[in-house]
Amino acid sequence: MPVKFYDEMADAKNGIRPHYQAFQEWQAAQTAEAVAAKRAEADLIFRRVGITFAVYGDLDSSKGGTERTIPFDIIPRIIPASEWQQLETGMRQRVKALNMFIHDVYHDQNILKAGIVPAEQILNNAQYRPEMKGVNVPQDIYAQIAGVDVVRAGEGEFYVLEDNLRVPSGVSYMLEDRKMMMRLFPELFVRNKVEPVAHYPDLLLESLRAVAPPGVANPVVVVLTPGMYNSAYFEHAFLAQQMGVELVEGKDLFVENDHVYMRTTQGPQQIDVIYRRIDDDFIDPEAFRPDSSLGVPGILKVYQKGNVNLCNGIGTGIADDKSIYPYVPDMIKFYLGEKAILNNVPTFQCRKKDDLEYVLAHLAELVVKETHGAGGYGMLVGPAATKAEVEQFREILVAHPDKYIAQPTLALSTCPTYVESGVAPRHLDLRPFVLSGKGINMVPGGLTRVALKEGSLVVNSSQGGGTKDTWVLD
């Protein structure tokens, strides 16, 4: 029996869903030549503007070295207002509970005492930072920026695939995809009432300023980047420019008298809020990795004293570790007294003996992920793997079961997509961005990532995925 995939554009009887009607009528009137010209124009503009990402370890100059543009598809992913309302409410609920969980873990640890999350899974976790125990952060918010990956399965139901709370990326592509669609096809935005996303940088700056240290009336915000060789450097520079704040590297900052300062041509300037795009390990060579040249020596002590705020907070990774993900519905119930609006994907924790036995027996049917993994690396998609790959992964899993979780292979929804052979269905996911400051804010939409390889379920740009503009209809 063939696997049933939910088609975002067409229903089971091949009728066009109501929210795609206006787009489909427009698309039917386009010639193949006109579409090809617009697609080529989009690729040229992205290259000219420098909207790229880096693929580490790819030194093949025939592929353009390490810099690539993310393939952009001109068929948007369209979400009706009623569906978006459910998604938005569920994500607000989820991020609120996750911030409460992180605060609890570094303070009273009530959820551990209640036995809801096993203490050893927190305290022995590489993402747990004992340096943060008892440290108070402004408004008890640790994840000011969260990227929640959402997928839709065979019956059209939504699931949260994972939470990204350390340094979630991709929002620049969401913004640039929209600009591109408006530039190429302005008539589409006359036919369709699409909610705007262009105000995201304003919301981001507002959220960052809202979590400045107490008593700071006019906070100075900067974006801290590892530098131009980072895979997401375009995004770091883009967001700093859009917010009208300085883009800095670790060497541009220094600590003195328990404060952080930026070197400027007019002399030192005190910094209050740092939107950091550097992992915990590299943020302070005096506290974490002494070989790091990316961070700022002594910044942890300033942070612990409350004289600067780091966004996202140090130690936030404990809540986006994939071994903690299965407990999020329990967190929502524990902290908010509510049932989770958005469901988790059923998850097997390989650290548990019974779960491991099941996973090993069904390895060819499951998706297995590293608990600390990201970018589509370190994972096995059982149905798409060869027997040799499955057996090789089995050995790794037996040797290090605590480093992996496994999930059923979801029948991810598809959306018509332009590929070399023409228009064909391709699997996709959605990463909306949730901002926490004085309140919880979102722009209507997010980054839709699409797996361009036929049959592939891996949407990550590092694995050959592309992006689409995401429309939430008003």
Side-chain angles (χ1 to χ4, degrees), residues 169-187:
S169 64
V171 76
S172 60
Y173 303 115
M174 173 190 82
L175 296 169
E176 289 292 350
D177 286 355
R178 174 60 55 82
K179 283 168 65 177
M180 183 63 72
M181 287 296 284
M182 294 181 78
R183 174 174 180 158
L184 296 179
F185 311 110
E187 69 275 17

PDB file of all heavy atoms in Angstrom, residues 169-187:
ATOM      1  N   SER A 169      18.787  29.631  13.176  1.00  0.00           N
ATOM      2  CA  SER A 169      19.118  30.416  11.993  1.00  0.00           C
ATOM      3  C   SER A 169      18.041  30.263  10.927  1.00  0.00           C
ATOM      4  O   SER A 169      17.148  29.424  11.039  1.00  0.00           O
ATOM      5  CB  SER A 169      20.476  29.962  11.436  1.00  0.00           C
ATOM      6  OG  SER A 169      20.391  28.603  11.004  1.00  0.00           O
ATOM      7  N   GLY A 170      18.132  31.078   9.894  1.00  0.00           N
ATOM      8  CA  GLY A 170      17.252  30.966   8.748  1.00  0.00           C
ATOM      9  C   GLY A 170      16.280  32.108   8.544  1.00  0.00           C
ATOM     10  O   GLY A 170      15.639  32.202   7.502  1.00  0.00           O
ATOM     11  N   VAL A 171      16.183  33.000   9.525  1.00  0.00           N
ATOM     12  CA  VAL A 171      15.165  34.054   9.400  1.00  0.00           C
ATOM     13  C   VAL A 171      15.487  35.022   8.268  1.00  0.00           C
ATOM     14  O   VAL A 171      14.588  35.586   7.641  1.00  0.00           O
ATOM     15  CB  VAL A 171      14.987  34.803  10.745  1.00  0.00           C
ATOM     16  CG1 VAL A 171      16.135  35.766  11.002  1.00  0.00           C
ATOM     17  CG2 VAL A 171      13.657  35.532  10.769  1.00  0.00           C
ATOM     18  N   SER A 172      16.766  35.197   7.944  1.00  0.00           N
ATOM     19  CA  SER A 172      17.117  36.100   6.838  1.00  0.00           C
ATOM     20  C   SER A 172      16.582  35.564   5.515  1.00  0.00           C
ATOM     21  O   SER A 172      16.182  36.330   4.639  1.00  0.00           O
ATOM     22  CB  SER A 172      18.634  36.288   6.761  1.00  0.00           C
ATOM     23  OG  SER A 172      19.284  35.048   6.555  1.00  0.00           O
ATOM     24  N   TYR A 173      16.561  34.238   5.373  1.00  0.00           N
ATOM     25  CA  TYR A 173      16.040  33.654   4.130  1.00  0.00           C
ATOM     26  C   TYR A 173      14.520  33.842   4.055  1.00  0.00           C
ATOM     27  O   TYR A 173      13.966  34.035   2.979  1.00  0.00           O
ATOM     28  CB  TYR A 173      16.415  32.180   4.040  1.00  0.00           C
ATOM     29  CG  TYR A 173      17.905  31.964   4.126  1.00  0.00           C
ATOM     30  CD1 TYR A 173      18.476  31.287   5.195  1.00  0.00           C
ATOM     31  CD2 TYR A 173      18.751  32.482   3.143  1.00  0.00           C
ATOM     32  CE1 TYR A 173      19.851  31.128   5.282  1.00  0.00           C
ATOM     33  CE2 TYR A 173      20.119  32.326   3.233  1.00  0.00           C
ATOM     34  CZ  TYR A 173      20.674  31.651   4.304  1.00  0.00           C
ATOM     35  OH  TYR A 173      22.024  31.503   4.398  1.00  0.00           O
ATOM     36  N   MET A 174      13.847  33.768   5.214  1.00  0.00           N
ATOM     37  CA  MET A 174      12.412  34.050   5.246  1.00  0.00           C
ATOM     38  C   MET A 174      12.141  35.457   4.710  1.00  0.00           C
ATOM     39  O   MET A 174      11.251  35.664   3.875  1.00  0.00           O
ATOM     40  CB  MET A 174      11.886  33.938   6.685  1.00  0.00           C
ATOM     41  CG  MET A 174      10.432  34.388   6.852  1.00  0.00           C
ATOM     42  SD  MET A 174       9.908  34.536   8.585  1.00  0.00           S
ATOM     43  CE  MET A 174      10.546  36.181   8.985  1.00  0.00           C
ATOM     44  N   LEU A 175      12.936  36.426   5.151  1.00  0.00           N
ATOM     45  CA  LEU A 175      12.725  37.817   4.757  1.00  0.00           C
ATOM     46  C   LEU A 175      13.108  38.056   3.297  1.00  0.00           C
ATOM     47  O   LEU A 175      12.406  38.750   2.555  1.00  0.00           O
ATOM     48  CB  LEU A 175      13.522  38.741   5.679  1.00  0.00           C
ATOM     49  CG  LEU A 175      13.087  38.722   7.147  1.00  0.00           C
ATOM     50  CD1 LEU A 175      14.099  39.447   8.020  1.00  0.00           C
ATOM     51  CD2 LEU A 175      11.710  39.346   7.314  1.00  0.00           C
ATOM     52  N   GLU A 176      14.222  37.463   2.876  1.00  0.00           N
ATOM     53  CA  GLU A 176      14.673  37.668   1.500  1.00  0.00           C
ATOM     54  C   GLU A 176      13.778  36.938   0.496  1.00  0.00           C
ATOM     55  O   GLU A 176      13.574  37.408  -0.622  1.00  0.00           O
ATOM     56  CB  GLU A 176      16.133  37.227   1.355  1.00  0.00           C
ATOM     57  CG  GLU A 176      17.130  38.153   2.044  1.00  0.00           C
ATOM     58  CD  GLU A 176      17.220  39.524   1.385  1.00  0.00           C
ATOM     59  OE1 GLU A 176      16.656  39.712   0.288  1.00  0.00           O
ATOM     60  OE2 GLU A 176      17.858  40.419   1.963  1.00  0.00           O
ATOM     61  N   ASP A 177      13.242  35.779   0.893  1.00  0.00           N
ATOM     62  CA  ASP A 177      12.311  35.072   0.005  1.00  0.00           C
ATOM     63  C   ASP A 177      11.075  35.922  -0.261  1.00  0.00           C
ATOM     64  O   ASP A 177      10.565  35.977  -1.387  1.00  0.00           O
ATOM     65  CB  ASP A 177      11.895  33.732   0.620  1.00  0.00           C
ATOM     66  CG  ASP A 177      12.995  32.684   0.557  1.00  0.00           C
ATOM     67  OD1 ASP A 177      14.055  32.964  -0.042  1.00  0.00           O
ATOM     68  OD2 ASP A 177      12.809  31.572   1.110  1.00  0.00           O
ATOM     69  N   ARG A 178      10.577  36.588   0.772  1.00  0.00           N
ATOM     70  CA  ARG A 178       9.405  37.443   0.591  1.00  0.00           C
ATOM     71  C   ARG A 178       9.740  38.632  -0.323  1.00  0.00           C
ATOM     72  O   ARG A 178       8.970  38.980  -1.229  1.00  0.00           O
ATOM     73  CB  ARG A 178       8.906  37.942   1.953  1.00  0.00           C
ATOM     74  CG  ARG A 178       7.765  38.964   1.871  1.00  0.00           C
ATOM     75  CD  ARG A 178       6.505  38.424   1.173  1.00  0.00           C
ATOM     76  NE  ARG A 178       6.036  37.202   1.786  1.00  0.00           N
ATOM     77  CZ  ARG A 178       5.274  37.144   2.885  1.00  0.00           C
ATOM     78  NH1 ARG A 178       4.857  38.273   3.445  1.00  0.00           N
ATOM     79  NH2 ARG A 178       4.900  35.983   3.381  1.00  0.00           N
ATOM     80  N   LYS A 179      10.887  39.266  -0.084  1.00  0.00           N
ATOM     81  CA  LYS A 179      11.285  40.388  -0.932  1.00  0.00           C
ATOM     82  C   LYS A 179      11.402  39.963  -2.395  1.00  0.00           C
ATOM     83  O   LYS A 179      10.998  40.674  -3.313  1.00  0.00           O
ATOM     84  CB  LYS A 179      12.618  40.975  -0.448  1.00  0.00           C
ATOM     85  CG  LYS A 179      12.495  41.861   0.782  1.00  0.00           C
ATOM     86  CD  LYS A 179      13.837  42.172   1.402  1.00  0.00           C
ATOM     87  CE  LYS A 179      14.736  42.994   0.505  1.00  0.00           C
ATOM     88  NZ  LYS A 179      16.010  43.331   1.188  1.00  0.00           N
ATOM     89  N   MET A 180      11.937  38.756  -2.594  1.00  0.00           N
ATOM     90  CA  MET A 180      12.109  38.247  -3.946  1.00  0.00           C
ATOM     91  C   MET A 180      10.755  38.027  -4.627  1.00  0.00           C
ATOM     92  O   MET A 180      10.553  38.411  -5.785  1.00  0.00           O
ATOM     93  CB  MET A 180      12.901  36.942  -3.920  1.00  0.00           C
ATOM     94  CG  MET A 180      13.195  36.370  -5.304  1.00  0.00           C
ATOM     95  SD  MET A 180      14.225  37.475  -6.295  1.00  0.00           S
ATOM     96  CE  MET A 180      15.803  37.270  -5.456  1.00  0.00           C
ATOM     97  N   MET A 181       9.814  37.396  -3.911  1.00  0.00           N
ATOM     98  CA  MET A 181       8.490  37.146  -4.493  1.00  0.00           C
ATOM     99  C   MET A 181       7.782  38.460  -4.835  1.00  0.00           C
ATOM    100  O   MET A 181       7.135  38.585  -5.883  1.00  0.00           O
ATOM    101  CB  MET A 181       7.634  36.320  -3.537  1.00  0.00           C
ATOM    102  CG  MET A 181       8.034  34.856  -3.433  1.00  0.00           C
ATOM    103  SD  MET A 181       7.821  33.930  -4.978  1.00  0.00           S
ATOM    104  CE  MET A 181       6.046  33.704  -5.019  1.00  0.00           C
ATOM    105  N   MET A 182       7.909  39.453  -3.976  1.00  0.00           N
ATOM    106  CA  MET A 182       7.251  40.745  -4.226  1.00  0.00           C
ATOM    107  C   MET A 182       7.898  41.462  -5.404  1.00  0.00           C
ATOM    108  O   MET A 182       7.230  42.177  -6.149  1.00  0.00           O
ATOM    109  CB  MET A 182       7.296  41.606  -2.965  1.00  0.00           C
ATOM    110  CG  MET A 182       6.477  41.037  -1.816  1.00  0.00           C
ATOM    111  SD  MET A 182       6.480  42.041  -0.324  1.00  0.00           S
ATOM    112  CE  MET A 182       5.321  43.320  -0.777  1.00  0.00           C
ATOM    113  N   ARG A 183       9.186  41.256  -5.580  1.00  0.00           N
ATOM    114  CA  ARG A 183       9.890  41.883  -6.699  1.00  0.00           C
ATOM    115  C   ARG A 183       9.533  41.205  -8.027  1.00  0.00           C
ATOM    116  O   ARG A 183       9.293  41.879  -9.031  1.00  0.00           O
ATOM    117  CB  ARG A 183      11.397  41.790  -6.462  1.00  0.00           C
ATOM    118  CG  ARG A 183      12.238  42.290  -7.629  1.00  0.00           C
ATOM    119  CD  ARG A 183      13.699  42.308  -7.266  1.00  0.00           C
ATOM    120  NE  ARG A 183      14.514  42.793  -8.381  1.00  0.00           N
ATOM    121  CZ  ARG A 183      15.712  43.305  -8.254  1.00  0.00           C
ATOM    122  NH1 ARG A 183      16.254  43.414  -7.051  1.00  0.00           N
ATOM    123  NH2 ARG A 183      16.388  43.715  -9.303  1.00  0.00           N
ATOM    124  N   LEU A 184       9.492  39.866  -8.017  1.00  0.00           N
ATOM    125  CA  LEU A 184       9.252  39.119  -9.249  1.00  0.00           C
ATOM    126  C   LEU A 184       7.781  39.104  -9.645  1.00  0.00           C
ATOM    127  O   LEU A 184       7.448  39.156 -10.827  1.00  0.00           O
ATOM    128  CB  LEU A 184       9.752  37.676  -9.107  1.00  0.00           C
ATOM    129  CG  LEU A 184      11.250  37.457  -8.893  1.00  0.00           C
ATOM    130  CD1 LEU A 184      11.541  35.973  -8.750  1.00  0.00           C
ATOM    131  CD2 LEU A 184      12.064  38.042 -10.045  1.00  0.00           C
ATOM    132  N   PHE A 185       6.899  39.003  -8.639  1.00  0.00           N
ATOM    133  CA  PHE A 185       5.474  38.789  -8.931  1.00  0.00           C
ATOM    134  C   PHE A 185       4.586  39.722  -8.110  1.00  0.00           C
ATOM    135  O   PHE A 185       3.771  39.269  -7.301  1.00  0.00           O
ATOM    136  CB  PHE A 185       5.088  37.328  -8.645  1.00  0.00           C
ATOM    137  CG  PHE A 185       6.003  36.313  -9.256  1.00  0.00           C
ATOM    138  CD1 PHE A 185       6.837  35.541  -8.464  1.00  0.00           C
ATOM    139  CD2 PHE A 185       6.040  36.132 -10.634  1.00  0.00           C
ATOM    140  CE1 PHE A 185       7.689  34.605  -9.028  1.00  0.00           C
ATOM    141  CE2 PHE A 185       6.880  35.193 -11.214  1.00  0.00           C
ATOM    142  CZ  PHE A 185       7.711  34.431 -10.415  1.00  0.00           C
ATOM    143  N   PRO A 186       4.713  41.031  -8.287  1.00  0.00           N
ATOM    144  CA  PRO A 186       3.907  41.955  -7.468  1.00  0.00           C
ATOM    145  C   PRO A 186       2.408  41.733  -7.638  1.00  0.00           C
ATOM    146  O   PRO A 186       1.634  41.961  -6.699  1.00  0.00           O
ATOM    147  CB  PRO A 186       4.332  43.343  -7.977  1.00  0.00           C
ATOM    148  CG  PRO A 186       4.949  43.115  -9.319  1.00  0.00           C
ATOM    149  CD  PRO A 186       5.575  41.754  -9.247  1.00  0.00           C
ATOM    150  N   GLU A 187       1.996  41.238  -8.818  1.00  0.00           N
ATOM    151  CA  GLU A 187       0.556  41.043  -9.056  1.00  0.00           C
ATOM    152  C   GLU A 187      -0.032  39.977  -8.132  1.00  0.00           C
ATOM    153  O   GLU A 187      -1.226  40.000  -7.821  1.00  0.00           O
ATOM    154  CB  GLU A 187       0.318  40.667 -10.521  1.00  0.00           C
ATOM    155  CG  GLU A 187       0.808  39.294 -10.951  1.00  0.00           C
ATOM    156  CD  GLU A 187       2.278  39.248 -11.364  1.00  0.00           C
ATOM    157  OE1 GLU A 187       3.034  40.188 -11.030  1.00  0.00           O
ATOM    158  OE2 GLU A 187       2.671  38.274 -12.028  1.00  0.00           O
TER     159      GLU A 187
END
